[in-house]
Amino acid sequence: MKAVLAPGATIGILGGGQLGRMLSLAASRLGLDCHIYCPDAGSPAARVSRYETLGAYDDLDAIKRFAGACDVVTYEFENIPAGTAAQASKYAELAPGARALEVAQDRLTEKTFLRDKAGVKVVEFSDVATVFDAKRAARRVGYPVILKTRRFGYDGKGQAKVDSEAEMDAAFASMNGAPVIMEAFAPFKREVSIVAARNHSGEFAAYPLIENEHRNHILHKSIAPASGDDGAAAQMAKRIMDGLDYVGVMATEFFQMDDGALVVNEIAPRVHNSGHWTQDGGCTDQFEQHIRAIAGWPLGNAMPKRNVVMTNLIGRDAANWEKLATFPNSRLHMYGKSEMRDGRKMGHVNTIGDAL
Ligand code: AMP
């Protein structure tokens, strides 16, 4: 049985971005302090937290000092080096654990785990070491296919859609020699996700299914709850989380096909942009839920009371903050980033709809 962290305990967060910031704000409501570890001074998370350590993610001495000063350590992005996760685990509990990171960091490990261990449906995929392998695998599943780097891909980066064999050489070369996997193209009707939490006792709570719209490969809008939630996504999330002995909040992203079938695209072992609507849904928000889970608290209520549409403010969208702040049914969440760069997530707006 895991000890429950009382108010006054310190939660360590690897990463200083907006997810860390919103985790820290939620923790502070519960009387817990946060300690942010991040290479950059003045990060969105550190600006609202009690403690900060500045250091590189591969500085194992700094990680030791940081973890030694925390009661539990979590992370707000999944590309934490394995050695850093191992080092942090020596001096504090790491939640979610190193296995979740290992699975989520590598698309081949992830898809293999999802298909063979969690028993959920994924697109057909192959490990392709050479362009010859890629052509052979693509002939088997049929074009179009997608090439993706196994590691460090996000928001559509490190991937290429290939419509015919004639395009394969150039597409494969565009991966710059990084290890890649090839996926069959899923002709989906829509993209949906589910955010769920699990704690040390195996208690599980899922928010309703969410429908997601992307623009330029970046999440634009999440509609919560999505129509047609039949509980299948939550069941799959539970199988995945039980299989990883997961502690914390995790998001599972799906392609939904014309017949309603759900195919898992990927998991994110952390709070997720498609769960930001929970802050204004009248339920325990995903940030508090994550803190509750890793602090050994009982999970909060994940049943929202109203419809919410979350819209991201990307780059210059955030320049409209003054106008957005006047909409009576909208709540503005800004991340405290000084520079409005193209493609940068600056904040989001939750527009509150009808009661459920
Ligand atoms: P990912 O980085 O895997 O989340 O992919 C980014 C986006 O590319 C997804 O949200 C989809 O819109 C699209 N995509 C990725 N993989 C596939 C696939 N196998 N079939 C169709 N679309 C895909």
Side-chain angles (χ1 to χ4, degrees):
M1 194 58 197
K2 145 102 188 155
V4 176
L5 297 185
T10 302
I11 310 264
I13 302 177
L14 291 161
Q18 65 269 16
L19 301 179
R21 178 184 178 94
M22 292 183 278
L23 283 168
S24 183
L25 291 169
S28 71
R29 281 200 308 269
L30 303 179
L32 295 154
D33 289 323
C34 285
H35 186 157
I36 307 300
Y37 188 100
C38 159
D40 311 304
S43 65
R47 290 165 76 144
V48 300
S49 300
R50 178 156 187 199
Y51 306 108
E52 172 183 30
T53 295
L54 291 179
Y57 290 117
D58 58 0
D59 180 343
L60 298 186
D61 286 334
I63 292 288
K64 174 181 172 180
R65 285 194 303 278
F66 159 74
C70 298
D71 294 298
V72 62
V73 171
T74 190
Y75 40 87
E76 57 118 48
F77 70 110
E78 53 271 46
N79 289 322
I80 308 285
T84 301
Q87 176 78 337
S89 316
K90 278 193 215 154
Y91 301 97
E93 186 197 341
L94 181 72
R99 174 76 180 136
L101 271 180
E102 180 195 16
V103 166
Q105 281 178 355
D106 181 324
R107 292 184 193 274
L108 181 62
T109 313
E110 181 182 39
K111 290 234 151 59
T112 307
F113 166 82
L114 290 169
R115 184 190 62 191
D116 300 344
K117 293 284 193 310
V120 299
K121 199 164 185 301
V122 294
V123 291
E124 275 203 66
F125 63 95
S126 318
D127 178 11
V128 290
T130 64
V131 70
F132 177 77
D133 288 349
K135 286 180 182 170
R136 191 174 48 194
R139 259 180 242 137
R140 192 168 47 77
V141 299
Y143 285 91
V145 295
I146 302 202
L147 289 180
K148 295 184 181 178
T149 56
R150 280 173 56 177
R151 302 175 75 88
F152 305 120
Y154 68 98
D155 289 346
K157 293 190 176 59
Q159 56 177 273
K161 181 165 176 245
V162 192
D163 288 311
S164 68
E165 189 159 314
E167 292 174 17
M168 186 59 92
D169 289 285
F172 199 83
S174 75
M175 303 282 119
N176 293 319
V180 291
I181 69 165
M182 199 208 76
E183 292 181 7
F185 184 80
F188 55 80
K189 165 175 82 172
R190 62 177 186 171
E191 291 186 87
V192 293
S193 60
I194 196 145
V195 173
R198 184 179 181 276
N199 68 10
H200 293 85
S201 346
E203 189 191 349
F204 173 85
Y207 294 100
L209 193 68
I210 308 145
E211 179 171 346
N212 299 311
E213 288 173 19
H214 297 84
R215 273 192 193 163
N216 305 318
H217 295 288
I218 300 175
L219 182 67
H220 167 56
K221 202 176 252 195
S222 291
I223 300 160
S227 56
D229 185 0
D230 65 356
Q235 279 172 27
M236 285 192 250
K238 183 165 189 319
R239 282 215 294 279
I240 296 166
M241 293 169 88
D242 285 343
L244 293 170
D245 198 16
Y246 195 93
V247 173
V249 162
M250 187 188 90
T252 309
E253 297 183 62
F254 302 87
F255 302 133
Q256 189 163 42
M257 313 309 280
D258 283 332
D259 63 0
L262 292 172
V263 176
V264 177
N265 176 30
E266 61 182 358
I267 58 172
R270 53 172 169 79
V271 286
H272 193 255
N273 198 166
S274 71
H276 290 0
W277 65 271
T278 56
Q279 291 170 313
D280 297 298
C283 47
T284 306
D285 69 66
Q286 64 163 349
F287 303 99
E288 176 175 333
Q289 195 74 306
H290 184 75
I291 298 292
R292 282 173 168 263
I294 67 172
W297 289 33
L299 299 179
N301 177 13
M303 196 62 71
K305 294 195 176 60
R306 42 195 179 254
N307 290 287
V308 181
V309 175
M310 187 278 330
T311 309
N312 270 334
L313 302 175
I314 310 279
R316 298 283 316 159
D317 296 346
N320 292 326
W321 63 269
E322 223 173 323
K323 178 153 182 241
L324 293 166
T326 64
F327 295 166
N329 293 325
S330 291
R331 289 198 63 221
L332 184 59
H333 299 260
M334 298 295 291
Y335 305 152
K337 297 181 182 177
S338 39
E339 209 189 323
M340 253 184 265
R341 285 200 298 267
D342 279 357
R344 192 175 202 206
K345 290 176 180 169
M346 303 298 299
H348 64 272
V349 177
N350 285 333
T351 303
I352 297 162
D354 299 335
L356 286 166

